[in-house]
Amino acid sequence: MDELKTQGKPFDISKREVWESWCEVKANKGAPGVDGQSIDDFEVDLQGNLYKIWNRMSSGTYFPPPVRAVEIPKQHGGGMRMLGIPTVADRVAQTVVARHLGIRVDPVFHEDSYGYRPGKSALDAVERCRQRCWKRDWVIDLDIQKFFDSVRWDLVIKAVETHTDAVWVKLYVQRWLQAPLQLPDGTVQLRDRGTPQGSAVSPVLANLFMHYAFDTWLTRHYPDVQFERYADDAVVHCVSEHQAREVLAALENRMEDVGLRLHPDKTRIVYCKDQTRRGSYEHVAFTFLG
């Protein structure tokens, strides 16, 4: 695949971008989408399949197929989680856009945003949380209910437009947001919000949404409050129970303003207990020993 840019096409997408996106998709493996085509199947006519993706994306005629919905058990119990599995070809196309957005938005993301970012991990977030819990007695353990099912499309597009002037990026993000789900029983479900968890472009869109909905908002309104966020989960550190209750109430209103809802059973105020803090509180859950 060469590095020559699109010639005679309305959108300037290089063949190398498509090739490098394919390499990522192949490395990540993954199951077939609604067409039943595996990565090995796709590779049988690799050159032809990649050319189709490049040609359609650069000409504006790429339309994603439905996303295959698969239910999996949640990690810590409490029901099932719906994943959306795009076709292999669609994962390649999504990765082209995800890479374009990623190099533009990652440098501006908050340093305490840890999910789906190069050089950051959940363990990094836990370690930073541990250090801060030694210094501040109270935290808000925050969980957003059905985040990937609830994200408002208009706010996602607004955030995308803030960081790129590439018309094709906005065009394809809109089409992926609107792509229907094919449920396990074969029926097709239309959607009016959300971005399927499991798609290649969803992580960067989720982080971009939360960058404005949570990170920058909290930093602006409560500059002395620290936090760690991993996708739709966050821990917010406060100096007192009073401050924790105030910030939690404000966050509930903020999430409602952007179309989200804090999970009523999983969001709680927690007292950080250790060897020197021996007070009691109804939600003692974090115990970090030095």
Side-chain angles (χ1 to χ4, degrees), residues 171-184:
L171 174 68
Y172 293 129
V173 167
Q174 286 178 317
R175 290 179 183 174
W176 281 313
L177 290 174
Q178 296 168 0
L181 283 175
Q182 181 173 299
L183 301 178

Side-chain angles (χ1 to χ4, degrees), residues 57-194:
M57 289 190 75
S58 59
S59 63
T61 60
Y62 181 82
F63 288 89
V67 176
R68 183 167 71 92
V70 177
E71 285 188 332
I72 63 169
K74 292 185 178 180
Q75 272 189 333
H76 305 292
M80 306 293 286
R81 182 189 306 279
M82 186 74 76
L83 291 184
I85 303 178
T87 65
V88 175
D90 200 36
R91 295 207 292 274
V92 174
Q94 289 189 27
T95 303
V96 172
V97 169
R99 286 163 58 91
H100 174 96
L101 282 174
I103 61 175
R104 288 160 176 79
V105 300
D106 195 76
V108 304
F109 282 162
H110 196 283
E111 64 177 353
D112 286 313
S113 167
Y114 291 90
Y116 314 123
R117 296 185 63 191
K120 291 180 177 286
S121 70
L123 289 178
D124 295 329
V126 170
E127 177 59 26
R128 182 60 62 89
C129 178
R130 181 171 177 264
Q131 294 169 358
R132 286 173 173 163
C133 281
W134 288 338
K135 299 176 181 179
R136 299 194 175 192
D137 293 5
W138 298 87
V139 301
I140 304 166
D141 185 13
L142 182 149
D143 181 275
I144 297 175
Q145 189 172 39
K146 296 184 177 179
F147 171 74
F148 285 91
D149 296 331
S150 306
V151 170
R152 277 175 47 182
W153 292 348
D154 60 324
L155 296 181
V156 172
I157 296 300
K158 183 179 179 181
V160 168
E161 290 176 325
T162 301
H163 295 278
T164 180
D165 57 1
V167 176
W168 59 274
V169 172
K170 175 185 173 182
L171 174 68
Y172 293 129
V173 167
Q174 286 178 317
R175 290 179 183 174
W176 281 313
L177 290 174
Q178 296 168 0
L181 283 175
Q182 181 173 299
L183 301 178
D185 64 3
T187 59
V188 175
Q189 180 184 81
L190 299 179
R191 301 178 300 110
D192 61 1
R193 64 187 60 230

Side-chain angles (χ1 to χ4, degrees), residues 3-287:
E3 296 186 38
L4 295 178
K5 290 291 184 179
T6 309
Q7 295 182 359
K9 302 285 187 179
F11 299 137
D12 193 25
I13 304 170
S14 73
K15 292 179 180 178
R16 177 163 290 278
E17 289 175 283
V18 177
W19 170 256
E20 291 176 350
S21 296
W22 152 251
C23 291
E24 282 195 26
V25 169
K26 182 179 179 181
N28 290 334
K29 301 179 181 179
V34 294
D35 60 358
Q37 186 180 53
S38 68
I39 287 179
D40 289 341
D41 296 334
F42 184 89
E43 206 165 9
V44 170
D45 184 18
L46 181 61
Q47 184 174 352
N49 287 328
L50 294 183
Y51 178 82
K52 288 177 186 177
I53 295 169
W54 168 80
N55 187 47
R56 292 171 183 173
M57 289 190 75
S58 59
S59 63
T61 60
Y62 181 82
F63 288 89
V67 176
R68 183 167 71 92
V70 177
E71 285 188 332
I72 63 169
K74 292 185 178 180
Q75 272 189 333
H76 305 292
M80 306 293 286
R81 182 189 306 279
M82 186 74 76
L83 291 184
I85 303 178
T87 65
V88 175
D90 200 36
R91 295 207 292 274
V92 174
Q94 289 189 27
T95 303
V96 172
V97 169
R99 286 163 58 91
H100 174 96
L101 282 174
I103 61 175
R104 288 160 176 79
V105 300
D106 195 76
V108 304
F109 282 162
H110 196 283
E111 64 177 353
D112 286 313
S113 167
Y114 291 90
Y116 314 123
R117 296 185 63 191
K120 291 180 177 286
S121 70
L123 289 178
D124 295 329
V126 170
E127 177 59 26
R128 182 60 62 89
C129 178
R130 181 171 177 264
Q131 294 169 358
R132 286 173 173 163
C133 281
W134 288 338
K135 299 176 181 179
R136 299 194 175 192
D137 293 5
W138 298 87
V139 301
I140 304 166
D141 185 13
L142 182 149
D143 181 275
I144 297 175
Q145 189 172 39
K146 296 184 177 179
F147 171 74
F148 285 91
D149 296 331
S150 306
V151 170
R152 277 175 47 182
W153 292 348
D154 60 324
L155 296 181
V156 172
I157 296 300
K158 183 179 179 181
V160 168
E161 290 176 325
T162 301
H163 295 278
T164 180
D165 57 1
V167 176
W168 59 274
V169 172
K170 175 185 173 182
L171 174 68
Y172 293 129
V173 167
Q174 286 178 317
R175 290 179 183 174
W176 281 313
L177 290 174
Q178 296 168 0
L181 283 175
Q182 181 173 299
L183 301 178
D185 64 3
T187 59
V188 175
Q189 180 184 81
L190 299 179
R191 301 178 300 110
D192 61 1
R193 64 187 60 230
T195 176
Q197 187 173 5
S199 72
V201 77
S202 285
V204 69
L205 296 182
N207 260 342
L208 190 53
F209 184 96
M210 288 298 289
H211 174 70
Y212 291 106
F214 182 87
D215 301 353
T216 59
W217 181 90
L218 188 60
T219 302
R220 183 170 63 252
H221 289 274
Y222 295 93
D224 63 326
V225 168
Q226 297 173 313
F227 68 90
E228 302 85 34
R229 182 178 63 78
Y230 193 95
D232 55 331
D233 295 315
V235 172
V236 181
H237 301 265
C238 299
V239 296
S240 66
E241 180 184 356
H242 175 77
Q243 185 186 52
R245 291 188 179 280
E246 176 187 338
V247 173
L248 178 55
L251 282 170
E252 287 174 338
N253 291 332
R254 172 59 176 172
M255 292 300 101
E256 185 176 343
D257 288 343
V258 297
L260 300 177
R261 181 173 183 254
L262 297 184
H263 198 297
D265 299 324
K266 297 180 180 179
T267 298
R268 54 189 178 168
I269 294 173
V270 180
Y271 176 66
C272 298
K273 192 172 185 179
D274 61 19
Q275 291 172 331
T276 59
R277 300 172 187 150
R278 300 187 180 277
S280 61
Y281 184 68
E282 60 178 328
H283 290 314
V284 172
F286 290 174
T287 303

